[in-house]
Structure formats: C-alpha cells, structure tokens
C-alpha cells in the first residue's frame, strides 16, 4: 500500500492565447493551518525547506509585528513642528505602517501555524512595550498618533 505524504505538488495547467499553447506550473496553496518548516512566506522560495531560514522567517514576522505596534503608538512628530510638514510626515508614516501591517497579513496567509503565532506574539509584545504604558510612557500621558480609546 502506498503511503500518502502531506506535500505540496506542482500542478500542470494548459492555456491557449494568441501566441499558442502555454504550459503553466503552479503550486496548490494550503487552505488550512499546518505545522512544519517547509513553507513559503511572502516571497517565492523563501524560506524553503531550511530550518534556519524558517527560524529567520519567524523572527522577521515577529519583528514586523512589533514595528507595526511601535509605529501605531509612538508620536515621532514633536510639538511646535509645522502643521503642514507634520501632517505630510504623519501621512507618509501611516502609509509605511499600513504597508508593514499588510506584509504581516500576507505572511499569516501562508497558513503556517508558526508564522501565525509569531505574528500574534509580535503584536502582543509590541503592544505591551509601546501601547499599554506598562513599560514605557509611565506618566499617563498619551503620545500616540492614534485617537484615544473610547
């Protein structure tokens, strides 16, 4: 009896267009969470099947999540700055923050359990450090660019 392996196998599809027949190879993506280091996160072929590269991917996603929380809860623009310049800077910073947050979302869409846990723990640690005021900003004054909670 042949054993079944839980591996992703390439599928060949054919398509006609104006230049003739093209053969496309694509991978079937996971649609449920799975555990293991043989995955693809954010970029084709990364981290691959190497355990070391998988650990690097976990650290990368964790770090991205912490940075997103830092950008969400820290006001870099100091009082007295020009309103127009401060507004433009905050708008650009918002774009960077949203772009990084979408990268975390795309990493989680790999459906790898380790990547999901790294993202959640990264957001939690980032909030603990920068949003909860337990570690930093003990004065009770909010320096966040986000509106105060209701």
């Amino acid at each position: 009896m042949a054993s079944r392996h839980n591996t992703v196998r390439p599928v060949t599809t054919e398509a006609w267009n104006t230049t003739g027949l093209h053969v496309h190879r694509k991978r079937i993506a996971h649609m449920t969470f799975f555990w293991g280091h043989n995955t693809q996160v954010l970029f084709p072929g990364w981290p691959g099947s190497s355990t070391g590269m998988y650990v690097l991917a976990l650290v990368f996603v964790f770090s991205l999540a912490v940075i997103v929380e830092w950008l969400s809860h820290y006001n870099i623009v100091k009082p007295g700055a020009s309103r127009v310049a401060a507004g433009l800077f905050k708008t650009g910073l918002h774009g960077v923050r949203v772009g990084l947050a979408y990268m975390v979302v795309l990493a989680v869409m790999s459906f790898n359990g380790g990547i999901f846990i790294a993202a959640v723990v990264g957001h939690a640690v980032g909030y603990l450090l920068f949003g909860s005021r337990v570690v930093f900003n003990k004065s009770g004054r909010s320096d966040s660019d986000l509106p105060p909670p209701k």
Side-chain angles (χ1 to χ4, degrees), residues 19-127:
T19 59
L21 177 67
H22 292 278
V23 176
H24 302 278
R25 294 198 187 277
K26 61 182 179 178
R27 299 190 81 129
I28 299 173
H30 288 275
M31 297 307 290
T32 58
F33 279 104
F34 69 98
W35 299 97
H37 70 275
N38 192 8
T39 187
Q40 181 173 308
V41 180
L42 294 177
F43 308 105
W46 189 72
S49 59
S50 167
T51 303
M53 291 302 288
Y54 178 69
V55 170
L56 179 65
L58 293 175
V59 170
F60 180 72
V61 171
F62 174 86
S63 300
L64 275 180
V66 171
I67 291 168
V68 167
E69 289 298 323
W70 175 68
L71 290 174
S72 297
H73 296 286
Y74 188 72
N75 187 3
I76 296 175
V77 178
K78 301 300 176 200
S82 164
R83 285 182 59 144
V84 173
L88 290 173
F89 183 76
K90 287 171 79 171
T91 300
L93 196 59
H94 175 76
V96 169
R97 180 177 53 122
V98 169
L100 293 176
Y102 274 119
M103 283 184 68
V104 173
V105 169
L106 287 173
V108 169
M109 288 177 61
S110 70
F111 288 99
N112 181 277
I115 296 292
F116 173 74
I117 290 172
V120 171
V121 171
H123 278 292
V125 168
Y127 182 81

